[in-house]
Amino acid sequence: MDRIYYLDSNATTPLDPQVREAMAPYLAERFANPSAIYKFAQGVRGEVEAARENVAQLINADPEEVIFTSGGTEADNTAVKGVAFALRDKGRHLITSQIEHHAVLSACQYLEGFGFENTLLPVDKYGIVDLEALKKAIRRDTVLITIMHANNEIGTIEPIEAIVQIAHEHGISVHTDAVQTVGKLSIDVKGLGIDLLSLSGHKIHGPKGIGALYVRKGVKLDPLLHGGHHERNRRAGTENVPGIIGLGKAASVARAELSQNEKRIRALRDMLEKGILERIPEVYVNGHPEKRLFNTLNCCLKGIEGESILLNLDFEGICASSGSACTSGSLDPSHVLLAIDLPHEVVHGSLRLSLNKFNTEEDVDKVLEVLPTITERLRGMSPLWGKEGAKTKHKSAD
Ligand SMILES: *Cc1c(COP(=O)(O)O)cnc(C)c1O
């Protein structure tokens, strides 16, 4: 296979070889069911609990507060539906934002069939949730506020601490989808005062199909899955032992490498951003200028379709992503880009480049080498790119 240039790390990250090595015995000779009574199984149980401790340490939680799930999606669903159903006699109102991951948005929407109402908070042009709108949205029957820690498309980091403070003044629990920040930013659930937090293995160089939900002691939660007494009755099913071991290892590696990774990845991302802005006219960076994930660059290239950029990049071996979902049969731009109110002449030309610790300057150089030519070619063929198009000043994303 030709070399690939992988710049889609907010979608998934490559497995760290150290993680693969830690998992290997659990896909082979260490196959015991950790619930069994014999010593062979108890050894495996011990390693599952050690992994739980590693995940807990990464976010400063107690191990008993960590529930293993099948990933970020299940963690989000467990948090939203679990709290809603546990408190349904207290109230049936939920608050979330317009830019959440579909795992949260669809779970909230599903609850409408059970008599729940949702308020979707607006965001500003950078994707920051409106705190005044939050205060106004709170009702006596609000049982959960769920706002993501950082957005996967544009990278904007939300003011979770302020959100928790407002929520707790009203005795309301807060969940945050931290799938994009765990392993990147230093997270302290106790310091933040957060009640529930979702994370996922494959976004932090762990395996796919494993994640965790932090549930602060004392938070009431109905389980999503019913069956045996696994995970302290909060998530039935024989544990995904290789996945859990992998997530534990990924968590301890991420914790050890946190600051060194940030420094390297941020430098590469900044190089990429600066290079693109220097080489290509009419490019606008989405998301907050500072409060943004250090690995993420989401930009709009005026006059072209995100999908055509992706196809052309793919031809060069570059893996990236776009906010306009042509692949799903529609040309509708993403709900996130719509929520930050981009002018429609740029919203279709969005490109997301997201990095991880295995990226090198070579990846950045490759993008900077081919993207200007691709952009020029596509703009040359584009009916959206008139002679005046190039001159019109873009107003809202300055
Ligand atoms: C990837 C992602 C998820 C889903 O996690 P999975 O483990 O793939 O189910 C949820 N939220 C955000 C913000 C994500 O980026």
Side-chain angles (χ1 to χ4, degrees):
M1 199 171 91
D2 289 338
R3 185 194 193 299
I4 65 157
Y5 301 86
Y6 188 77
L7 291 139
D8 198 17
S9 307
N10 288 6
T12 195
T13 56
L15 197 67
D16 188 318
Q18 302 173 73
V19 172
R20 190 175 55 206
E21 218 173 287
M23 290 171 71
Y26 297 87
L27 292 160
E29 73 277 9
R30 289 179 70 77
F31 62 84
N33 185 326
S35 298
I37 199 157
Y38 32 82
K39 285 199 283 299
F40 174 37
Q42 288 312 300
V44 174
R45 162 63 57 202
E47 291 307 312
V48 165
E49 294 315 315
R52 195 186 306 279
E53 210 153 310
N54 280 329
V55 172
Q57 272 184 7
L58 183 61
I59 57 172
N60 193 33
D62 293 336
E64 317 88 79
E65 296 172 316
V66 173
I67 305 174
F68 289 119
T69 66
S70 66
T73 299
E74 189 190 317
D76 285 344
N77 272 267
T78 306
V80 171
K81 296 177 198 166
V83 170
F85 284 136
L87 300 182
R88 67 186 179 279
D89 293 332
K90 196 179 158 221
R92 299 195 181 187
H93 178 237
L94 310 169
I95 299 175
T96 184
S97 83
Q98 290 177 351
I99 63 163
E100 296 301 306
H101 191 274
H102 285 295
V104 165
L105 286 177
S106 301
C108 288
Q109 212 174 4
Y110 170 76
L111 287 167
E112 289 175 3
F114 295 83
F116 284 84
E117 285 176 69
N118 297 305
T119 301
L120 272 62
L121 299 175
V123 295
D124 68 11
K125 64 175 177 175
Y126 300 122
I128 303 255
V129 164
D130 185 338
L131 295 181
E132 290 312 308
L134 168 64
K135 288 176 194 162
K136 287 198 193 100
I138 290 173
R139 312 192 322 206
R140 284 178 52 178
D141 60 344
T142 307
V143 289
L144 183 70
I145 295 170
T146 170
I147 305 285
M148 67 201 322
H149 195 192
N151 182 269
N152 45 302
E153 289 188 36
I154 56 175
T156 296
I157 300 167
E158 300 298 338
I160 288 299
E161 214 170 340
I163 291 166
V164 169
Q165 203 171 354
I166 293 166
H168 285 185
E169 278 166 19
H170 296 85
I172 303 164
S173 289
V174 182
H175 164 250
T176 192
D177 175 339
V179 169
Q180 289 296 341
T181 53
V182 167
K184 292 190 186 103
L185 311 182
S186 156
I187 292 179
D188 174 355
V189 288
K190 293 201 169 81
L192 284 172
I194 199 84
D195 301 287
L196 305 105
L197 175 146
S198 303
L199 61 94
S200 171
H202 73 103
K203 304 289 173 87
I204 62 166
H205 302 289
K208 293 168 182 62
I210 188 73
L213 178 65
Y214 159 79
V215 185
R216 189 176 55 73
K217 268 186 214 93
V219 170
K220 286 208 180 79
L221 189 79
D222 273 13
L224 220 58
L225 301 183
H226 299 88
H229 299 294
H230 312 86
E231 300 295 303
R232 297 167 171 255
N233 294 319
R234 291 173 300 182
R235 203 276 186 182
T238 301
E239 295 85 345
N240 170 4
V241 176
I244 290 170
I245 300 298
L247 177 58
K249 184 66 181 177
S252 74
V253 171
R255 186 161 165 264
E257 295 179 347
L258 209 61
S259 59
Q260 84 190 56
N261 284 344
E262 162 160 11
K263 226 171 126 198
R264 267 201 67 245
I265 298 169
R266 183 187 289 281
L268 288 175
R269 194 278 312 267
D270 288 351
M271 195 186 299
L272 188 63
E273 181 169 327
K274 191 160 165 278
I276 288 175
L277 291 174
E278 277 170 5
R279 285 167 180 78
I280 307 173
E282 301 268 8
V283 177
Y284 308 99
V285 176
N286 298 317
H288 197 279
E290 288 100 41
K291 293 171 200 147
R292 178 157 54 109
L293 292 173
F294 57 76
N295 78 317
T296 304
L297 172 61
N298 185 309
C299 55
C300 285
L301 296 117
K302 196 172 173 183
I304 41 184
E305 297 284 353
E307 294 296 318
S308 1
I309 309 172
L310 292 191
L311 292 174
N312 281 270
L313 288 174
D314 186 31
F315 187 76
E316 300 284 347
I318 299 170
C319 309
S321 125
S322 161
S324 40
C326 182
T327 40
S328 61
S330 75
L331 264 171
D332 289 343
S334 87
H335 64 294
V336 177
L337 298 179
L338 286 176
I340 60 175
D341 234 356
L342 289 179
H344 69 270
E345 70 268 23
V346 300
V347 74
H348 285 290
S350 88
L351 171 68
R352 183 187 71 186
L353 299 161
S354 50
L355 291 81
N356 69 71
K357 66 176 179 178
F358 294 120
N359 283 114
T360 63
E361 264 184 58
E362 240 182 283
D363 301 313
V364 172
D365 290 344
K366 177 71 180 182
V367 174
L368 295 182
E369 180 199 320
V370 304
L371 190 59
T373 323
I374 291 172
T375 308
E376 207 173 323
R377 189 170 64 238
L378 291 174
R379 279 177 175 169
M381 310 185 310
S382 168
L384 302 170
W385 187 253
K387 280 192 189 82
E388 297 110 72
K391 287 185 208 122
T392 328
K393 269 284 150 249
H394 177 75
K395 291 189 188 72
S396 83
D398 48 359

